[in-house]
Amino acid sequence: MTLDGTLQLLRPNIRNLKPYSSARDEYKGTDAIFLDANENPFNPPYNRYPDPHHTRLRQRLSEIKGVPASQIFVGNGSDEPIDLIVRCFCTPGRDEVLMPYPTYGMYEVAAETNDVAVKKVLLTDDFQLDTKAMLAAAGANTKVLFLCSPNNPTGNLMKQADVMQLLKDFKGIVVLDEAYIDFAGSESFISKLQDFPNLVVLQTLSKAWGLAGLRLGMAFAHTDIIRVLYRVKYPYNLNVLTQQAGLKALEKPEQTAEWVVALTEGRRKLIDRLQSISVQKVFPSDANFVLVRLANARKAYEYLTERKIITRDRSSVALCSDSLRITVGTEEENDALLKELGAFLNMDLA
Ligand SMILES: *Cc1c(COP(=O)(O)O)cnc(C)c1O
């Protein structure tokens, strides 16, 4: 899609929106006497409103990701850009979003909360995109396509050629959620942003960076889309503490790299050992979790929970019957899981 075509997809009221201008929008320096925002002069640094433009965070992210800061949005988890994209592009009661299933549940929740209809197309048996069916399902009011790669809860990367085809042929915004990309050993689609003005890549500090509690999600897209997200978001969506702690973590990418090595190695071992305790199937994973099929997943889930090992029962999800989603933990945590799950499986056989 062309940039013009992409921006035509915006809701008309959003295209014409004049954003709230906060006191901090007008004077951008830090070294001054601030009598503009009705702040309390005592109790620094929390007496001051946070930077609504996330200037330092985006500068640092720009260095790490190799994308201009103007192409980066930072929000309150990935949840915020997911919701903003639905609100900016979809007129309630009229427009719709498209997604494969099974996938991450937040896309559907964001759409339904906004009275935006959801069209879903089943993944293939090997959890890949049915591109033909997806394109056939898209209509004139299908504004946003959500893709997740590596996908949650199945754990696999989507084939790059399929994502490329959808990027070329879908006439709307393509949101590609790369929450787990650091564990995948495959290149991010951030490198394709120049070619596709309708592409929005989502990433997060919640997984590889170990900061789920901080709530810091990112969207990478064309400058014009990012500008719209900044106009629509709450002015102070990231508080002072979050911005400070995020910056501090981003100074140590080598720590994250170390964790990623440990977790991908942990995943390899976990998969091997799950296979050796004869679960029915361990699905291949490009993420920090594995999907496992067992004879009686619900019983296994309950058995593990009684022993204070909490997994996610995905048995009710399409294509995931009798399957648990298990996050890769520390070596000790993985050992404990394997011990108890092994005991359960032996008991069942007896
Ligand atoms: C965990 C996860 C996220 C991260 O969400 P945050 O709101 O950034 O914590 C995003 N997408 C998917 C598919 C996930 O599984």
Side-chain angles (χ1 to χ4, degrees), residues 53-94:
H53 310 288
H54 320 130
T55 310
R56 293 181 63 200
L57 255 182
R58 291 161 82 196
Q59 189 48 47
R60 183 69 192 117
L61 283 168
S62 166
E63 290 162 17
I64 292 174
K65 302 289 177 182
V67 186
S70 64
Q71 289 190 256
I72 306 174
F73 171 89
V74 200
N76 187 337
S78 306
D79 302 331
E80 185 178 6
I82 290 168
D83 179 65
L84 281 173
I85 288 159
V86 171
R87 284 200 282 138
C88 289
F89 289 99
C90 300
T91 299
R94 192 195 75 177

Side-chain angles (χ1 to χ4, degrees), residues 14-66:
I14 299 290
R15 220 179 299 147
N16 303 323
L17 184 73
K18 268 197 103 80
Y20 169 74
S21 172
S22 69
R24 281 304 123 78
D25 279 320
E26 292 176 19
Y27 179 84
K28 298 223 167 70
T30 49
D31 180 24
I33 294 173
F34 286 105
L35 304 176
D36 59 343
N38 300 345
E39 294 154 339
N40 184 325
F42 308 113
N43 200 34
Y46 305 121
N47 61 326
R48 299 294 172 198
Y49 282 102
D51 173 14
H53 310 288
H54 320 130
T55 310
R56 293 181 63 200
L57 255 182
R58 291 161 82 196
Q59 189 48 47
R60 183 69 192 117
L61 283 168
S62 166
E63 290 162 17
I64 292 174
K65 302 289 177 182

Side-chain angles (χ1 to χ4, degrees), residues 77-79 104 107 148 152 177 179-180 204 206-207 215-217:
S78 306
D79 302 331
Y104 188 45
Y107 317 135
C148 186
N152 182 1
D177 187 343
Y180 299 100
T204 178
S206 293
K207 308 284 154 67
R215 309 310 301 133
L216 237 166

Side-chain angles (χ1 to χ4, degrees), residues 249-271:
L250 290 169
E251 278 161 20
K252 292 183 297 185
E254 62 286 349
Q255 172 65 82
T256 298
E258 237 174 73
W259 286 333
V260 167
V261 169
L263 292 171
T264 44
E265 177 60 14
R267 174 181 72 199
R268 191 189 60 76
K269 278 194 199 156
L270 180 61
I271 290 174

